[in-house]
Amino acid sequence: MASSTFIVQNRSFTYIIFKNNNEFLKVNGIRLFQFHIEKCKEPFVNIPEETIREALNVVLDVNNHPLLIHCRRGKHRTGCLVGCLRKMQRWYLSSIFDEYQRFAGAKARVSDQRFIERFDVSSSKR
């Protein structure tokens, strides 16, 4: 399996595949955080809340900025993480779901939105 690498250019990111990216990351001072979340297809959905919380801790740490968040397609797993972030930022659920649906398009999942709606921000670090 190939691993992912990010090329920083004018504070923007380009996604490229390399067989071994550890040296590239080290040379360019890039920290890579990976959180494994299995593909979740309805009706058998298992979005690991603890993994989302761990990822949110990385996202909320300004020492990790600028930051690129992505998954294979940038819809469901990324959408759940960003949706939970928006909830922590006190966005209205309707606005969170609008943003999620804009990026997920026809592939939007009710289960993802349900996960975001039920996500308890009171126990998350701020």
Side-chain angles (χ1 to χ4, degrees):
M1 180 173 98
S3 56
S4 58
T5 293
F6 311 100
I7 297 176
V8 180
Q9 193 172 62
N10 296 331
R11 294 176 87 56
S12 65
F13 293 88
T14 303
Y15 183 73
I16 298 178
I17 300 294
F18 285 105
K19 289 191 181 225
N20 184 348
N21 62 12
N22 291 334
E23 185 62 28
F24 178 86
L25 295 173
K26 183 178 176 183
V27 166
N28 290 282
I30 299 170
R31 294 174 62 197
L32 176 64
F33 299 93
Q34 292 180 306
F35 301 93
H36 185 70
I37 300 175
E38 292 289 334
K39 286 194 251 182
C40 306
K41 294 211 176 191
E42 294 177 296
F44 306 105
V45 178
N46 183 22
I47 301 168
E49 188 171 326
E50 186 56 36
T51 305
I52 294 291
R53 289 188 189 286
E54 289 173 23
L56 281 170
N57 288 334
V58 170
V59 170
L60 293 170
D61 185 345
V62 295
N63 295 312
N64 298 324
H65 296 183
L67 187 68
L68 169 69
I69 303 171
H70 76 91
C71 59
R72 183 165 175 92
R73 299 274 189 242
K75 298 175 189 172
H76 307 293
R77 290 164 282 193
T78 298
C80 286
L81 177 63
V82 172
C84 292
L85 172 66
R86 299 300 189 216
K87 193 168 181 183
M88 291 180 75
Q89 294 171 328
R90 301 185 186 274
W91 281 31
Y92 292 110
L93 275 176
S94 60
S95 297
I96 295 169
F97 295 157
D98 284 346
E99 182 181 54
Y100 168 83
Q101 291 169 356
R102 189 174 19 211
F103 288 97
K107 300 281 187 169
R109 294 182 183 152
V110 172
S111 59
D112 291 346
Q113 293 174 74
R114 192 176 317 118
F115 175 83
I116 295 165
E117 182 177 10
R118 293 179 179 169
F119 184 77
D120 181 13
V121 297
S122 65
S123 62
S124 297
K125 296 177 185 176
R126 293 184 192 251

